[in-house]
Amino acid sequence: MISQVGDEMSEPTQAVQQAALAAGWSHRHRDVSGGWLRPTVFGAVDGLVTNASLIAGLGGGGPAAVATERRMHARFPAAEQDELAETFRGYGADPETAARMAAAVSRDPDTALRVHTREELGVDPFELPSALAAGLSSLIAFSAGALIPLLPYLAGLNVLAASLGITAVALLAGGMVVGRLTGRPVLRSGLRQLALGALAIAVTYTVGSLIGGHAA
């Protein structure tokens, strides 16, 4: 008897579900969590791209420009000396004094290269960090920075607002430090970094919400 009642109740249920399926109803959800492997891969790729980009930038930027300047000194020493004299004239030296200063500096190729790169590139060719040192320091800083938003969760506080709050403080502080190092207004640099970070977080949160909403 119970079996018969169950069969009678399942028939309209199956009919409703079949009609809903024909109309596009589905309970299959996209995997939006991915377990531990998905964030692990994303984190590894993020760190890989960040450090590789930094190393490539250092390898192809400063040292390459310095190499070009060194080659110009070897091929066109007179033109480089005239350019240096023009630089000294721009600082207020009279033409004769500027010419003597440029000649004195140009006698030593290393000194001439250092002065030219400082004036034209804003770097000292003999104080450029190695790509290895830059990559290692970036890796350590990247790991430390990536740990900050996880601190509330590691402490057992599974609240997104706490993670975002501590991240905001870190962004503000980091921006202020950058402003101090670059000679820019400290508070403005901190607020700028905070705004950029907030924008990036808002975009990713929106994307995640949209994916979650569509998956549901």
Side-chain angles (χ1 to χ4, degrees):
M1 181 67 177
I2 295 177
S3 176
Q4 183 179 356
V5 173
D7 292 340
E8 291 176 353
M9 293 180 63
S10 64
E11 289 179 359
T13 301
Q14 292 176 357
V16 170
Q17 291 183 355
Q18 288 176 357
L21 286 171
W25 174 76
S26 174
H27 257 282
R28 292 179 300 175
H29 298 289
R30 185 181 304 172
D31 181 12
V32 295
S33 64
W36 60 269
L37 182 59
R38 182 176 177 179
T40 299
V41 173
F42 282 174
V45 171
D46 192 10
L48 174 65
V49 172
T50 300
N51 284 325
S53 298
L54 175 62
I55 293 172
L58 287 172
V66 171
T68 300
E69 189 67 31
R70 191 188 302 274
R71 188 168 59 253
M72 293 299 102
H73 273 270
R75 295 182 59 186
F76 310 103
E80 291 292 328
Q81 183 173 325
D82 288 343
E83 185 180 43
L84 191 57
E86 183 178 355
T87 299
F88 291 143
R89 289 196 298 270
Y91 285 138
D94 61 82
E96 183 179 352
T97 302
R100 288 201 305 269
M101 293 172 62
V105 169
S106 298
R107 291 192 187 100
D108 182 9
D110 289 339
T111 302
L113 179 64
R114 171 172 287 179
V115 173
H116 273 272
T117 52
R118 280 181 175 175
E119 293 296 327
E120 299 177 18
L121 306 176
V123 298
D124 189 326
F126 303 101
E127 295 180 1
L128 288 174
S130 68
L132 178 60
L136 289 176
S137 62
S138 176
L139 175 62
I140 294 173
F142 182 88
S143 302
L147 182 63
I148 291 176
L150 297 176
L151 292 178
Y153 296 97
L154 295 176
L157 185 61
N158 190 14
V159 179
L160 178 60
S163 177
L164 295 181
I166 193 173
T167 300
V169 173
L171 286 171
L172 181 64
M176 293 175 70
V177 171
V178 171
R180 183 66 179 271
L181 293 175
T182 58
R184 297 176 179 177
V186 174
L187 182 59
R188 182 182 300 177
S189 296
L191 293 175
R192 179 177 180 272
Q193 188 64 48
L194 176 60
L196 293 174
L199 177 61
I201 293 171
V203 169
T204 54
Y205 181 83
T206 301
V207 172
S209 299
L210 292 174
I211 294 175
H214 286 303

